[in-house]
Amino acid sequence: MTPRTEEQFKKIRVEKRQLILDAALELFADQGYHSTSISQLATKAGISKGLLYNYFENKESVLKTIIDEGFNDIFSDFINFKENQFTNEHMKKYINHMFDSLTGKQNFWKFYFQIILQSSAQAIVKEKLETFLMPVMEIMTQFFENNGYDDPYTEALILGALFDGIGMDYAFAPEYFPLEKVKKNLLNKYCNIK
């Protein structure tokens, strides 16, 4: 048997790390962060506890990584806009992207809503959440100001609250939530798209 190459070891390491994150996301979404043990994470990932600690220092670091990578994936295209660059076309893309993420990353959103509803878990990721959400709030506030809203900051808060409510309803009861109708309504409201 030929020894593994450095590339093969890197690939295995990346795959194991992702396996742990996927298992954690599923467990955290289904039973909550505090109710999930490291032993359960290792079992779900099909690895030993010792091996899990080769990838993550503790359960908290797994939580922070899921938030960091999940939000980076969702918001990375929208946090680099400069003043006055975010147009109606960008808003349309943003709304569509958020709805796509609700359907494509349902476990992440279910996990996210459970985390923000658990004050002790929320405290662990508060700083990471602010890192992603504050730039989005600034972009949205600027967008609403550029489009003549009387209170742009409040409108940005309303849009954020709408996404939270839509996301929570869809994450926990997708079969009862008319996602496409709601998306059309938001596109009409914020992008004048019929």
Side-chain angles (χ1 to χ4, degrees), residues 113-143:
F113 292 119
Q114 286 201 20
I115 293 302
I116 63 170
L117 294 173
Q118 300 173 45
S119 58
S120 57
Q122 183 186 40
I124 295 169
V125 296
K126 184 178 191 287
E127 192 174 304
K128 288 209 173 279
L129 291 175
E130 288 174 353
T131 299
F132 287 103
L133 298 179
M134 293 314 293
V136 173
M137 274 299 294
E138 290 170 12
I139 291 165
M140 293 300 133
T141 300
Q142 185 66 53
F143 172 82

Short mmCIF file of all heavy atoms in Angstrom, two decimals, residues 113-143:
data_model
loop_
_atom_site.label_atom_id
_atom_site.label_comp_id
_atom_site.label_asym_id
_atom_site.label_seq_id
_atom_site.Cartn_x
_atom_site.Cartn_y
_atom_site.Cartn_z
N PHE A 113 -31.84 30.34 14.68
CA PHE A 113 -32.95 30.83 15.50
C PHE A 113 -32.94 30.20 16.88
O PHE A 113 -33.29 30.86 17.86
CB PHE A 113 -34.30 30.62 14.79
CG PHE A 113 -34.43 31.49 13.57
CD1 PHE A 113 -34.60 30.93 12.32
CD2 PHE A 113 -34.35 32.86 13.67
CE1 PHE A 113 -34.68 31.74 11.19
CE2 PHE A 113 -34.44 33.68 12.56
CZ PHE A 113 -34.61 33.11 11.31
N GLN A 114 -32.53 28.97 16.99
CA GLN A 114 -32.41 28.36 18.32
C GLN A 114 -31.31 29.07 19.13
O GLN A 114 -31.48 29.31 20.32
CB GLN A 114 -32.11 26.87 18.21
CG GLN A 114 -33.33 26.09 17.78
CD GLN A 114 -33.23 24.63 18.15
OE1 GLN A 114 -32.47 24.23 19.01
NE2 GLN A 114 -34.05 23.83 17.49
N ILE A 115 -30.22 29.40 18.48
CA ILE A 115 -29.11 30.07 19.17
C ILE A 115 -29.52 31.45 19.67
O ILE A 115 -29.25 31.81 20.81
CB ILE A 115 -27.86 30.16 18.26
CG1 ILE A 115 -27.29 28.78 17.98
CG2 ILE A 115 -26.79 31.08 18.85
CD1 ILE A 115 -26.89 27.98 19.19
N ILE A 116 -30.18 32.23 18.82
CA ILE A 116 -30.54 33.58 19.27
C ILE A 116 -31.64 33.57 20.33
O ILE A 116 -31.81 34.57 21.03
CB ILE A 116 -30.90 34.53 18.10
CG1 ILE A 116 -32.14 34.05 17.35
CG2 ILE A 116 -29.71 34.74 17.17
CD1 ILE A 116 -32.68 35.05 16.35
N LEU A 117 -32.33 32.46 20.48
CA LEU A 117 -33.36 32.36 21.52
C LEU A 117 -32.80 31.81 22.83
O LEU A 117 -33.50 31.80 23.83
CB LEU A 117 -34.52 31.50 21.03
CG LEU A 117 -35.32 32.09 19.87
CD1 LEU A 117 -36.36 31.09 19.35
CD2 LEU A 117 -35.99 33.40 20.27
N GLN A 118 -31.55 31.37 22.84
CA GLN A 118 -30.90 30.88 24.05
C GLN A 118 -29.86 31.92 24.48
O GLN A 118 -28.82 32.05 23.85
CB GLN A 118 -30.18 29.56 23.79
CG GLN A 118 -31.06 28.43 23.33
CD GLN A 118 -30.23 27.22 22.93
OE1 GLN A 118 -29.30 26.82 23.62
NE2 GLN A 118 -30.57 26.64 21.78
N SER A 119 -30.17 32.70 25.50
CA SER A 119 -29.31 33.83 25.86
C SER A 119 -27.86 33.42 26.13
O SER A 119 -26.93 34.13 25.74
CB SER A 119 -29.88 34.60 27.03
OG SER A 119 -30.05 33.76 28.15
N SER A 120 -27.64 32.28 26.77
CA SER A 120 -26.26 31.87 27.06
C SER A 120 -25.51 31.49 25.78
O SER A 120 -24.33 31.79 25.63
CB SER A 120 -26.23 30.73 28.07
OG SER A 120 -26.98 29.63 27.59
N ALA A 121 -26.19 30.85 24.84
CA ALA A 121 -25.56 30.51 23.56
C ALA A 121 -25.39 31.77 22.71
O ALA A 121 -24.37 31.95 22.04
CB ALA A 121 -26.40 29.48 22.81
N GLN A 122 -26.37 32.66 22.76
CA GLN A 122 -26.28 33.90 22.00
C GLN A 122 -25.07 34.71 22.46
O GLN A 122 -24.38 35.32 21.64
CB GLN A 122 -27.56 34.71 22.17
CG GLN A 122 -27.58 35.98 21.35
CD GLN A 122 -28.80 36.84 21.65
OE1 GLN A 122 -29.21 36.97 22.79
NE2 GLN A 122 -29.36 37.41 20.61
N ALA A 123 -24.80 34.71 23.76
CA ALA A 123 -23.66 35.46 24.28
C ALA A 123 -22.34 34.96 23.68
O ALA A 123 -21.43 35.75 23.45
CB ALA A 123 -23.62 35.36 25.80
N ILE A 124 -22.26 33.67 23.39
CA ILE A 124 -21.04 33.09 22.82
C ILE A 124 -20.78 33.63 21.42
O ILE A 124 -19.64 33.87 21.04
CB ILE A 124 -21.15 31.54 22.79
CG1 ILE A 124 -21.21 30.99 24.21
CG2 ILE A 124 -20.00 30.92 22.01
CD1 ILE A 124 -21.58 29.52 24.29
N VAL A 125 -21.84 33.84 20.65
CA VAL A 125 -21.67 34.24 19.25
C VAL A 125 -22.05 35.70 18.97
O VAL A 125 -22.02 36.14 17.83
CB VAL A 125 -22.47 33.31 18.31
CG1 VAL A 125 -21.93 31.89 18.37
CG2 VAL A 125 -23.94 33.34 18.62
N LYS A 126 -22.36 36.45 20.01
CA LYS A 126 -22.81 37.84 19.85
C LYS A 126 -21.85 38.67 18.99
O LYS A 126 -22.25 39.35 18.06
CB LYS A 126 -22.99 38.49 21.22
CG LYS A 126 -23.55 39.89 21.18
CD LYS A 126 -23.73 40.41 22.61
CE LYS A 126 -24.50 41.68 22.68
NZ LYS A 126 -23.87 42.85 22.26
N GLU A 127 -20.58 38.57 19.30
CA GLU A 127 -19.58 39.35 18.57
C GLU A 127 -19.52 38.95 17.10
O GLU A 127 -19.44 39.79 16.21
CB GLU A 127 -18.21 39.16 19.22
CG GLU A 127 -17.16 40.13 18.73
CD GLU A 127 -15.87 39.98 19.52
OE1 GLU A 127 -15.89 40.08 20.76
OE2 GLU A 127 -14.84 39.74 18.86
N LYS A 128 -19.58 37.64 16.83
CA LYS A 128 -19.56 37.17 15.44
C LYS A 128 -20.81 37.63 14.70
O LYS A 128 -20.73 38.03 13.54
CB LYS A 128 -19.45 35.65 15.40
CG LYS A 128 -18.08 35.15 15.79
CD LYS A 128 -17.76 33.85 15.11
CE LYS A 128 -16.36 33.43 15.37
NZ LYS A 128 -15.38 34.08 14.53
N LEU A 129 -21.96 37.57 15.35
CA LEU A 129 -23.20 38.04 14.72
C LEU A 129 -23.10 39.51 14.35
O LEU A 129 -23.47 39.91 13.25
CB LEU A 129 -24.40 37.80 15.64
CG LEU A 129 -24.80 36.35 15.87
CD1 LEU A 129 -25.92 36.27 16.90
CD2 LEU A 129 -25.23 35.69 14.58
N GLU A 130 -22.59 40.31 15.27
CA GLU A 130 -22.46 41.75 15.01
C GLU A 130 -21.50 42.02 13.85
O GLU A 130 -21.72 42.93 13.06
CB GLU A 130 -22.00 42.47 16.27
CG GLU A 130 -23.10 42.54 17.33
CD GLU A 130 -22.63 43.13 18.65
OE1 GLU A 130 -21.42 43.39 18.82
OE2 GLU A 130 -23.50 43.32 19.52
N THR A 131 -20.45 41.21 13.74
CA THR A 131 -19.48 41.38 12.65
C THR A 131 -20.15 41.28 11.29
O THR A 131 -19.80 42.00 10.36
CB THR A 131 -18.37 40.30 12.76
OG1 THR A 131 -17.70 40.46 13.99
CG2 THR A 131 -17.39 40.40 11.62
N PHE A 132 -21.13 40.38 11.17
CA PHE A 132 -21.83 40.21 9.90
C PHE A 132 -23.04 41.12 9.76
O PHE A 132 -23.29 41.67 8.69
CB PHE A 132 -22.27 38.75 9.73
CG PHE A 132 -21.14 37.83 9.43
CD1 PHE A 132 -20.62 37.01 10.42
CD2 PHE A 132 -20.56 37.79 8.18
CE1 PHE A 132 -19.56 36.16 10.16
CE2 PHE A 132 -19.49 36.95 7.90
CZ PHE A 132 -18.99 36.13 8.89
N LEU A 133 -23.79 41.29 10.82
CA LEU A 133 -25.07 41.98 10.70
C LEU A 133 -24.95 43.50 10.68
O LEU A 133 -25.76 44.16 10.03
CB LEU A 133 -26.02 41.52 11.81
CG LEU A 133 -26.35 40.03 11.76
CD1 LEU A 133 -27.27 39.64 12.92
CD2 LEU A 133 -26.98 39.63 10.43
N MET A 134 -23.97 44.07 11.37
CA MET A 134 -23.85 45.53 11.39
C MET A 134 -23.55 46.11 10.00
O MET A 134 -24.19 47.08 9.60
CB MET A 134 -22.81 45.98 12.43
CG MET A 134 -23.24 45.68 13.87
SD MET A 134 -24.96 46.14 14.28
CE MET A 134 -24.88 47.90 14.17
N PRO A 135 -22.62 45.54 9.24
CA PRO A 135 -22.41 46.07 7.88
C PRO A 135 -23.66 45.95 7.00
O PRO A 135 -23.94 46.83 6.19
CB PRO A 135 -21.26 45.23 7.32
CG PRO A 135 -20.55 44.70 8.52
CD PRO A 135 -21.61 44.52 9.57
N VAL A 136 -24.40 44.86 7.15
CA VAL A 136 -25.64 44.70 6.37
C VAL A 136 -26.64 45.78 6.76
O VAL A 136 -27.28 46.39 5.90
CB VAL A 136 -26.23 43.29 6.55
CG1 VAL A 136 -27.60 43.17 5.90
CG2 VAL A 136 -25.29 42.24 5.97
N MET A 137 -26.75 46.06 8.07
CA MET A 137 -27.65 47.13 8.54
C MET A 137 -27.24 48.49 7.96
O MET A 137 -28.09 49.28 7.55
CB MET A 137 -27.65 47.20 10.07
CG MET A 137 -28.61 46.27 10.74
SD MET A 137 -30.33 46.58 10.29
CE MET A 137 -30.58 48.19 11.01
N GLU A 138 -25.96 48.75 7.92
CA GLU A 138 -25.47 50.02 7.37
C GLU A 138 -25.81 50.13 5.88
O GLU A 138 -26.24 51.19 5.41
CB GLU A 138 -23.96 50.15 7.58
CG GLU A 138 -23.58 50.35 9.03
CD GLU A 138 -22.07 50.25 9.27
OE1 GLU A 138 -21.29 50.24 8.29
OE2 GLU A 138 -21.69 50.17 10.45
N ILE A 139 -25.61 49.06 5.14
CA ILE A 139 -25.92 49.04 3.71
C ILE A 139 -27.41 49.26 3.49
O ILE A 139 -27.82 50.06 2.64
CB ILE A 139 -25.48 47.71 3.07
CG1 ILE A 139 -23.95 47.62 3.03
CG2 ILE A 139 -26.05 47.55 1.66
CD1 ILE A 139 -23.43 46.21 2.77
N MET A 140 -28.23 48.57 4.26
CA MET A 140 -29.69 48.70 4.11
C MET A 140 -30.15 50.11 4.49
O MET A 140 -30.99 50.70 3.81
CB MET A 140 -30.42 47.67 4.97
CG MET A 140 -30.23 46.25 4.52
SD MET A 140 -30.83 45.99 2.84
CE MET A 140 -29.44 45.12 2.15
N THR A 141 -29.59 50.66 5.56
CA THR A 141 -29.95 52.02 5.98
C THR A 141 -29.62 53.00 4.87
O THR A 141 -30.42 53.88 4.52
CB THR A 141 -29.23 52.40 7.29
OG1 THR A 141 -29.61 51.48 8.31
CG2 THR A 141 -29.57 53.81 7.71
N GLN A 142 -28.44 52.86 4.28
CA GLN A 142 -28.03 53.74 3.18
C GLN A 142 -28.95 53.56 1.98
O GLN A 142 -29.36 54.54 1.34
CB GLN A 142 -26.57 53.46 2.78
CG GLN A 142 -26.03 54.39 1.73
CD GLN A 142 -25.92 55.81 2.23
OE1 GLN A 142 -25.32 56.06 3.26
NE2 GLN A 142 -26.50 56.76 1.51
N PHE A 143 -29.32 52.33 1.68
CA PHE A 143 -30.23 52.06 0.57
C PHE A 143 -31.56 52.78 0.78
O PHE A 143 -32.07 53.45 -0.12
CB PHE A 143 -30.46 50.55 0.43
CG PHE A 143 -31.54 50.20 -0.56
CD1 PHE A 143 -31.27 50.14 -1.92
CD2 PHE A 143 -32.84 49.93 -0.13
CE1 PHE A 143 -32.27 49.82 -2.84
CE2 PHE A 143 -33.84 49.60 -1.04
CZ PHE A 143 -33.55 49.56 -2.40
#
